[in-house]
Amino acid sequence: MRLILDTANLADIRYFNDYFPICGVTTNPTILSREGGDIVSHLEKIREMIGADKELHVQVTETEYERMEAEAEAIVSLLGKNTFVKIPATPDGMRATRELSARGFGITVTAVLSASQAMLAAEAGAAYVAPYVSRLENIGADGVGCVRDMARILAASGRRTEILAASFKTAREVLECALVGVQVATVSSDVMKNLLRHTTTDTSVTGFAADWKGAFGDSTLLELIKNR
Ligand code: G3P
């Protein structure tokens, strides 16, 4: 499953882009509101940081379809190729998705809370649908089960729409989505760290270092090879 970072924090984007196998960055108006300031320049910095080949998902702020479309054009014009326009699953969003997708824009239909919304988004031509897993789980619904239904519906539709699962609070939720066939997940910095972190990995690495030092002192394997 491909992984995307769900933040607009530049320090986090730099770190995870350098160290983790992420294929892009997702934002939304709430995420951008945390950064403040000159948000247009900020988005340009994110694009510069991740490069032209990774995905950058930016959400429209307009709610009426013609204004969404004008905003989508401006977003892609500003941020270039591999920029996906996030559009909420509303009636105006469906119309904007259908019209923009027909013109070649990559659309991520977002704030998806039901399999029927995902079905409509796929029929409208969306590149991605973004179900909010934790927001479903938080209200007592079966977030992963809903995503499983979406995966079946999209597979049967023959459409190329992929699931970009979002709104995760735990690494376990991400794994469960991977197990039901989700292609892409966008996760926060904390969840991304938790996908890798394991205390037994840490104690294993500490043990390797101690055993090596006990046998070979401060010499590294690189030094021993070079000095041979
Ligand atoms: O991309 C936005 C989506 O991930 C929402 O996440 O944590 O606000 O529910 P959250």
Side-chain angles (χ1 to χ4, degrees), residues 6 26-28 31 34 86 132 135 166-169 186:
D6 201 21
T26 49
T27 65
N28 63 32
I31 286 171
R34 293 185 194 124
K86 291 176 70 177
Y132 281 7
R135 290 197 195 194
S167 176
F168 289 104
K169 292 292 169 283
T186 184

Side-chain angles (χ1 to χ4, degrees), residues 160-182:
R160 298 175 67 179
T161 308
E162 292 189 304
I163 297 174
L164 196 180
S167 176
F168 289 104
K169 292 292 169 283
T170 68
R172 180 70 213 169
E173 290 167 346
V174 180
L175 280 184
E176 286 177 0
C177 282
L179 288 167
V180 299
V182 166

Side-chain angles (χ1 to χ4, degrees), residues 52-110:
D53 293 336
K54 291 192 179 178
E55 295 184 4
L56 178 54
H57 296 244
V58 178
Q59 189 165 328
V60 294
T61 62
E62 298 283 0
T63 54
E64 185 274 328
Y65 80 92
E66 282 179 308
R67 288 171 173 272
M68 286 178 173
E69 292 179 19
E71 203 166 50
E73 288 166 11
I75 289 167
V76 173
S77 168
L78 177 78
L79 300 169
K81 67 172 189 159
N82 291 315
T83 298
F84 289 78
V85 180
K86 291 176 70 177
I87 295 181
T90 62
D92 277 78
M94 286 301 100
R95 179 161 180 174
T97 297
R98 192 189 73 217
E99 294 182 354
L100 288 166
S101 297
R103 292 169 52 199
F105 285 78
I107 305 299
T108 299
V109 173
T110 192

